[in-house]
Amino acid sequence: MNIKIKLLALLFAACMSGLAQESGRFIYTKDGKPLAQKRALVIQCSKGYAAPPDNKIVAKLCECQVNLLDRRYTLKEIKHYEKIYKGNGLWQLMADDTLLQRLMKECINVDGNVLMLSIPEYRKSFVTKCMDNLKSSSDKPLNDTLTAIFCNCAADILEQRKITLEKFDDLSNPSSLLYNEVAYRCGSPYLEASDFAKDWKASNAKDIVGPAVDSVQIISINGMHKIKIRIGNELRIWMIDSGASDLLISEDYAKTLKEKGFLSERDFIGEGQYLLADNRSISCKRYKIDNVQIGTSS
């Protein structure tokens, strides 16, 4: 939800000045200081989602998210963060507010599923932001043509799968089914055009087939081999590392497994040091997990 939080933070900050004695419903600080007009924030939020003014579902989503800011922070808190982060203070304050992030995600379900890719302007905006994010998130040289192909392909998959805003976070999770489907079907934007066919082509998307036997189906994405693994009823995609002694998972995924009862402190077996591919050494908690399924049983 970080993109949406940053969006609201920027809108919020933009409306913090020039309010004087204007009438209307305001967003207030916890100590009662008016900071922004709710209607202005809702309108700007809808524009940020590239939704037309008459889209009631997006307007309701934005109204829910904007209302969460009302009387949430003191003026002292806001000024403290602004002093430290120099213009990005409010965004950082909201990003650090884990409860706010969870509540904003719940806003998505306020009026059923929000199928943003069905809005033509949002799709165009999504592709543009996708290309910008790729350019800013890696030092690898990008091929502009392949970047456009990749982002339009990703938008096609989201639209075909009727992916809602609630599932957009899966795009940044390398273990999610959506992330790997996009990576596998859409290729790599970092390849030179002459190398495109060597690493990936559209027909590869049909390659995952196999006889009805207990075999493990493997996909190769940008030189990495991955398989499906299920823990309890949680299905994820993992990279095969023949030199790895353990299965590494994120803290967020460990929390999910604990919440669903597939992992508990009873399974804790100590801590270990792990050497990553970039030669960084990290310390991780180690657990023994039952009910890990690979192959047709998953």
Side-chain angles (χ1 to χ4, degrees):
M1 302 298 291
N2 283 345
I3 292 176
K4 289 178 275 297
I5 287 177
K6 188 167 186 178
L7 170 66
L8 279 177
L10 292 173
L11 298 175
F12 194 21
C15 295
M16 285 174 63
S17 60
L19 294 176
Q21 299 297 319
E22 293 181 33
S23 60
R25 300 179 62 190
F26 292 97
I27 292 294
Y28 291 89
T29 64
K30 191 177 286 186
D31 32 12
K33 302 292 184 182
L35 290 177
Q37 284 190 316
K38 289 184 180 180
R39 176 175 168 77
L41 287 178
V42 171
I43 291 174
Q44 291 302 316
C45 173
S46 297
K47 288 181 179 178
Y49 283 120
D54 59 347
N55 191 300
K56 295 181 180 179
I57 293 179
V58 176
K60 195 167 184 177
L61 162 65
C62 287
E63 184 176 349
C64 175
Q65 292 184 333
V66 166
N67 283 336
L68 292 173
L69 302 176
D70 192 28
R71 301 184 186 276
R72 188 165 194 89
Y73 307 117
T74 65
L75 191 59
K76 183 178 180 180
E77 285 177 302
I78 296 173
K79 288 183 176 180
H80 174 70
Y81 267 76
E82 285 296 331
K83 184 177 180 180
I84 296 174
Y85 294 100
K86 310 295 184 187
N88 288 314
L90 186 59
W91 173 81
Q92 190 61 49
L93 177 59
M94 295 167 70
D96 289 346
D97 190 343
T98 55
L99 177 59
L100 176 67
Q101 295 182 47
R102 182 173 63 80
L103 293 173
M104 281 189 168
K105 185 171 287 190
E106 290 177 0
C107 281
I108 294 169
N109 296 320
V110 73
D111 195 23
N113 293 329
V114 183
L115 302 175
M116 298 300 294
L117 268 298
S118 63
I119 303 172
E121 287 304 312
Y122 183 81
R123 179 194 168 95
K124 189 184 300 181
S125 171
F126 170 86
V127 171
T128 300
K129 289 176 181 177
C130 170
M131 295 175 69
D132 290 342
N133 286 340
L134 287 171
K135 291 175 182 177
S136 64
S137 64
S138 176
D139 295 331
K140 297 179 182 178
L142 276 170
N143 179 288
D144 289 340
T145 301
L146 295 180
T147 302
I149 290 174
F150 177 89
C151 290
N152 276 284
C153 173
D156 287 341
I157 291 173
L158 295 175
E159 192 169 7
Q160 291 164 7
R161 294 283 182 267
K162 299 189 183 302
I163 299 297
T164 66
L165 279 174
E166 185 180 16
K167 293 293 185 182
F168 268 39
D169 286 349
D170 285 354
L171 281 173
S172 58
N173 179 1
S175 294
S176 73
L177 296 174
L178 180 60
Y179 176 99
N180 284 276
E181 180 177 4
V182 169
Y184 190 72
R185 289 179 56 186
C186 300
S188 170
Y190 300 108
L191 296 175
E192 294 296 331
S194 60
D195 295 332
F196 189 73
K198 298 177 185 177
D199 190 86
W200 179 89
K201 51 183 180 292
S203 60
N204 288 352
K206 302 176 182 178
D207 286 350
I208 306 179
V209 296
V213 296
D214 191 14
S215 61
V216 178
Q217 297 177 347
I218 299 174
I219 58 174
S220 180
I221 301 174
N222 298 331
M224 296 179 291
H225 301 297
K226 298 189 174 187
I227 58 173
K228 292 181 182 179
I229 295 180
R230 186 189 298 273
I231 300 177
N233 63 359
E234 285 285 310
L235 182 63
R236 292 290 189 276
I237 305 294
W238 259 278
M239 181 179 70
I240 300 173
D241 183 351
S242 59
S245 56
D246 294 308
L247 177 66
L248 295 181
I249 64 175
S250 67
E251 288 186 14
D252 287 341
Y253 187 41
K255 182 179 178 181
T256 297
L257 293 176
K258 288 179 180 179
E259 289 174 348
K260 295 194 173 185
F262 302 131
L263 186 66
S264 72
E265 291 306 314
R266 295 191 305 271
D267 304 312
F268 181 66
I269 57 175
E271 295 192 2
Q273 288 294 127
Y274 293 87
L275 185 64
L276 303 182
D278 60 4
N279 289 322
R280 285 186 298 123
S281 179
I282 60 172
S283 177
C284 297
K285 293 182 177 180
R286 301 178 69 234
Y287 293 87
K288 179 179 179 296
I289 303 179
D290 294 323
N291 198 19
V292 177
Q293 301 176 345
I294 303 174
T296 56
S297 57
S298 66

